[in-house]
Amino acid sequence: MGRGKIEIKRIENNTSRQVTFCKRRSGLLKKAYELSVLCEAEIALIVFSNRGRLYQFPQDNSIRETIERYKKKKIAEHTNGYLPEENKFEQFQQESKRLSQQIQMLQDSNRNLLGEGLEALNSRDMKHLESRLEKGLARIRNKKHEMILAEVEILRKRGIQLEHENAYIRSKIQESEKLQELSMMPAGPELSMMPAGPELSMMPAGPELNMMDTQGQDYGGFQAFLERNMLQLNIMEEGMASTYHLSGN
């Protein structure tokens, strides 16, 4: 529910009128300060209360220079923009002095942010400085928190990627080991004569298995050689027996 529209008219109650004046005067001075800093505007603000008390911005003597500049500007407008040379030179001097004062104010503000030159500040200035520091620290902490979260997210994604790469490498190693085991196993009919069950785990592996396969092949070839020689001997013996029988008759 929004605030109701306030009717702009004189406040009859003295206490309410004084409270409203204090609040709006502080807001007006604050806006003038912010406008001068943010936009580098030259501002002169003069306020008299109903009791005749003076409030002004800025607090130093630069307000007089701004008023003098205003007077000369108005005079120049009435004279169609014509200014004598001495007035132009004086105007340039005032502009240079104003810029120097602004630079000095910014330097003093930076020194105050570093905790230096606090002796010239009153309680209100100290409170305003503290508020600026707290807001700055809050922005810095928020930015730092965002950067940490971004780095954590990058590291998390990198960890997931490394896990996938490790799983892929392990699968390739297992496939390579299986292919190596299959390439070292004997092939052909001898494979059906190999013992099964627990005896298979007692079979030699590696180069010893290759040597057993070679020895088995050599033994089979030696048996075939003996069978061929025995067949030839039997044929020779039968031929000799037939010859002897024929010669005896």
Side-chain angles (χ1 to χ4, degrees):
M1 197 175 168
R3 295 176 57 186
K5 186 176 180 181
I6 300 176
E7 185 180 1
I8 303 300
K9 66 178 184 178
R10 183 177 182 274
I11 301 174
E12 299 297 334
N13 186 278
N14 292 332
T15 303
S16 299
R17 185 168 59 247
Q18 186 64 25
V19 171
T20 302
F21 173 76
C22 292
K23 289 182 178 179
R24 301 214 172 196
R25 180 204 65 206
S26 300
L28 184 61
L29 293 174
K30 181 180 178 182
K31 291 296 182 183
Y33 168 75
E34 293 176 353
L35 184 61
S36 65
V37 173
L38 294 175
C39 304
E40 294 184 355
E42 184 178 356
I43 299 175
L45 177 62
I46 300 174
V47 178
F48 286 98
S49 68
N50 58 352
R51 297 179 181 179
R53 186 173 180 179
L54 172 65
Y55 300 93
Q56 68 180 42
F57 176 85
Q59 298 294 335
D60 52 15
N61 293 328
S62 61
I63 188 172
R64 295 182 179 179
E65 298 173 0
T66 304
I67 294 174
E68 291 297 327
R69 183 182 178 187
Y70 168 77
K71 291 180 179 179
K72 292 178 181 180
K73 184 69 175 177
K74 297 301 292 183
I75 294 174
E77 289 177 355
H78 288 296
T79 56
N80 296 325
Y82 173 77
L83 284 177
E85 290 297 328
E86 58 273 10
N87 292 341
K88 289 183 179 179
F89 179 73
E90 184 179 356
Q91 183 178 359
F92 291 151
Q93 282 185 331
Q94 292 179 354
E95 184 70 16
S96 175
K97 187 176 181 180
R98 183 183 65 83
L99 293 176
S100 299
Q101 290 176 350
Q102 288 185 353
I103 293 173
Q104 185 64 36
M105 289 176 60
L106 292 174
Q107 290 177 350
D108 293 340
S109 177
N110 291 334
R111 291 178 65 246
N112 293 336
L113 291 175
L114 296 175
E116 301 175 357
L118 303 178
E119 297 81 7
L121 301 180
N122 54 27
S123 60
R124 187 178 64 180
D125 295 335
M126 294 285 286
K127 186 176 181 180
H128 179 67
L129 178 62
E130 183 181 6
S131 177
R132 290 178 60 191
L133 288 173
E134 289 177 352
K135 292 178 180 179
L137 285 175
R139 288 192 294 266
I140 292 172
R141 290 184 181 124
N142 290 335
K143 185 63 177 179
K144 180 182 177 182
H145 184 65
E146 292 176 0
M147 294 176 64
I148 290 175
L149 290 180
E151 292 177 358
V152 169
E153 182 65 18
I154 293 173
L155 293 175
R156 186 185 68 82
K157 292 180 179 179
R158 180 58 178 165
I160 294 174
Q161 182 181 0
L162 291 175
E163 289 180 358
H164 291 167
E165 292 178 357
N166 291 336
Y168 175 77
I169 293 172
R170 284 196 297 268
S171 63
K172 288 297 182 181
I173 291 174
Q174 292 175 358
E175 292 177 3
S176 177
E177 291 177 350
K178 289 180 180 179
L179 292 176
Q180 186 176 3
E181 291 176 358
L182 292 175
S183 65
M184 295 174 64
M185 293 178 63
E190 294 80 358
L191 185 60
S192 61
M193 299 176 62
M194 292 182 63
E199 294 81 359
L200 183 61
S201 61
M202 299 176 63
M203 291 288 293
E208 292 81 6
L209 183 60
N210 293 332
M211 292 177 64
M212 289 180 64
D213 187 22
T214 304
Q215 291 175 359
Q217 293 178 1
D218 295 340
Y219 180 74
F222 183 67
Q223 282 186 335
F225 175 73
L226 289 178
E227 290 176 357
R228 288 196 299 271
N229 289 340
M230 290 297 294
L231 180 60
Q232 292 178 0
L233 287 175
N234 291 334
I235 294 173
M236 289 175 64
E237 287 179 353
E238 291 178 358
M240 289 177 64
S242 298
T243 304
Y244 179 78
H245 179 71
L246 292 174
S247 64
N249 293 334

